[in-house]
Amino acid sequence: MWVEILCGLVAYKLIRAVFFSDDGLDQLAGLDSSHSDLCFAVAARLERLYGGRCFVGLRIPDPDAGARQHVDVVLVTKREVMVVAINNVSGFVEVDKDGNWFTEKKRKQEVIRNPVLEVSRIAANLQSYLEQRGATLPNGIVNGRVVLPNPNCRPSYTINLQPEVISYDQWKDLKADTKGGLSTWIKGAFHGNKSDIQDSLLQNLYSILSTSPMWDRLELRGDKNVLGEFMEFKGKHEDMPLLKKVKRSKVSRFVIQKSTLFGGFGRSRVQILYSPRDYRAEGTSSSEWKEISVKQYTEIHFQPLHSKKVRKFKLSSVASVTLSAYLQRE
């Protein structure tokens, strides 16, 4: 009887490990995906309201720093190019004489470098970058906005008066104008240029930004997104020749399927669907997907944005990875 119970427990643990894993939740300890999640959520909403296209996680040259600077979201519509900086600050927010913001948390003051000045600087750098790549831009077409999406944010009256700042109340009430696709809830918030951008320039902007350096996107199960850099796969020696097919220069995106059993216990494998990169066209069709099968113990090594540490993720915790063809190391 005890032998049967023991065998049953062993079988239960094996089945649970294969089919009902914790999806690597322990690997997510200390991993903050909130800012990346907000970037994609804000981008998706702006596209729904205004059309056009959003580009998340661009890395444009910063002449002052001699390096590349991260850009949360760039919205391109027929009327404007809008740099959107997302600040998830909470609590009462005040502004000092230098324009810096500050808030107190647990009796400790947190200073935020003048967000309005910073987003204006990023917008100027983006305009310079676009012009260097051949875009002829009308005056005033590139602007910057600071979005405060946290419902617990209480900005001061002085901050609310700044036209570049979009408070939470303004953000949640954002509505598109059916006539021109522009906002009517706050004058000039996402208004930009008075006349439409010519189609040729619009397509040129899409092309430039699509081929600009940007961060990779790691999508985790549980609707979490992490911007950063995909480093490599780590797996069994016999799987590495297959995994070497999935590299940045050859693949634009790969999707992790749930593990399945092949021929009994101990032979669980995971399917990876990957889309070959086509530099001539954007997007992929389902007919272009290819597939490899590897052992479930394979890991993805990924370095999140603003982190010096490379994180290891089991395949079971990952939904997909989108690889930037133009990610450039410093």
Side-chain angles (χ1 to χ4, degrees):
M1 176 179 177
W2 290 107
V3 173
E4 286 129 348
I5 293 175
L6 184 59
C7 290
L9 286 171
V10 172
Y12 169 77
K13 287 184 178 293
L14 283 170
I15 292 172
R16 183 178 177 82
V18 173
F19 294 104
F20 304 99
S21 68
D22 60 1
D23 281 344
L25 294 179
D26 57 323
Q27 305 163 76
L28 307 185
L31 178 68
D32 185 5
S33 68
S34 58
H35 188 77
S36 295
D37 289 335
L38 279 172
C39 288
F40 287 105
V42 167
R45 188 161 188 239
L46 290 175
E47 286 185 341
R48 286 197 305 270
L49 290 171
Y50 302 111
R53 287 185 58 183
C54 279
F55 299 85
V56 179
L58 288 170
R59 304 178 66 232
I60 63 173
D62 182 350
D64 295 334
R68 293 190 177 275
Q69 67 184 156
H70 165 75
V71 187
D72 286 341
V73 178
V74 174
L75 167 69
V76 181
T77 71
K78 291 183 177 180
R79 292 288 184 94
E80 64 193 333
V81 177
M82 182 64 66
V83 174
V84 181
I86 300 167
N87 198 314
N88 197 33
V89 64
S90 62
F92 292 96
V93 187
E94 302 288 345
V95 61
D96 65 19
K97 59 182 178 60
D98 297 318
N100 298 319
W101 296 3
F102 64 92
T103 182
E104 288 192 9
K105 293 183 179 179
K106 298 180 180 179
R107 298 183 179 180
K108 184 178 180 181
Q109 192 176 89
E110 178 181 328
V111 178
I112 306 168
R113 255 179 68 185
N114 193 330
V116 172
L117 185 63
E118 182 65 15
V119 77
S120 298
R121 191 174 72 86
I122 295 174
N125 287 343
L126 178 64
Q127 179 164 344
S128 175
Y129 172 71
L130 293 172
E131 290 173 344
Q132 286 174 13
R133 292 197 56 183
T136 303
L137 303 174
N139 292 331
I141 196 174
V142 182
N143 297 285
R145 293 290 183 271
V146 179
V147 173
L148 306 177
N150 194 319
N152 297 316
C153 181
R154 301 289 183 269
S156 69
Y157 179 73
T158 304
I159 292 175
N160 274 328
L161 280 180
Q162 295 177 291
E164 298 87 356
V165 177
I166 311 303
S167 69
Y168 171 74
D169 289 336
Q170 294 167 334
W171 173 250
K172 72 181 177 66
D173 292 334
L174 187 65
K175 293 180 177 64
D177 179 25
T178 55
K179 294 181 180 180
L182 301 177
S183 171
T184 57
W185 55 269
I186 177 170
K187 185 177 180 180
F190 289 94
H191 197 303
N193 203 36
K194 291 183 179 180
S195 58
D196 286 356
I197 298 174
Q198 293 182 354
D199 285 342
S200 58
L201 175 57
L202 189 65
Q203 294 306 315
N204 190 24
L205 291 173
Y206 288 164
S207 176
I208 291 172
L209 293 174
S210 296
T211 56
S212 297
M214 66 179 66
W215 293 109
D216 297 329
R217 177 183 182 180
L218 173 70
E219 297 176 74
L220 298 169
R221 301 195 186 279
D223 295 325
K224 289 181 178 292
N225 297 275
V226 183
L227 290 170
E229 181 178 358
F230 168 75
M231 307 301 289
E232 61 180 346
F233 287 105
K234 284 291 185 181
K236 297 294 183 181
H237 178 73
E238 58 269 28
D239 287 334
M240 293 311 296
L242 287 174
L243 292 169
K244 286 181 178 178
K245 295 180 180 180
V246 187
K247 57 183 179 180
R248 185 182 307 280
S249 61
K250 301 293 184 182
V251 172
S252 61
R253 187 169 185 257
F254 59 88
V255 177
I256 312 300
Q257 302 292 295
K258 283 289 188 179
S259 50
T260 55
L261 281 178
F262 287 88
F265 295 119
R267 299 184 62 190
S268 176
R269 299 184 71 81
V270 177
Q271 278 69 51
I272 300 178
L273 301 179
Y274 66 92
S275 173
R277 187 178 298 284
D278 186 352
Y279 289 93
R280 299 166 300 175
E282 296 179 40
T284 58
S285 65
S286 56
S287 61
E288 295 175 323
W289 291 92
K290 297 185 178 181
E291 178 181 332
I292 60 173
S293 177
V294 298
K295 288 184 171 61
Q296 65 169 342
Y297 308 108
T298 304
E299 293 179 342
I300 288 174
H301 289 197
F302 192 93
Q303 185 171 1
L305 175 64
H306 302 315
S307 173
K308 295 181 179 179
K309 181 180 179 181
V310 176
R311 302 292 296 257
K312 302 176 182 179
F313 299 91
K314 294 179 182 177
L315 288 186
S316 58
S317 69
V318 177
S320 68
V321 176
T322 303
L323 300 174
S324 167
Y326 305 95
L327 187 148
Q328 295 180 4
R329 294 184 177 89
E330 301 302 342

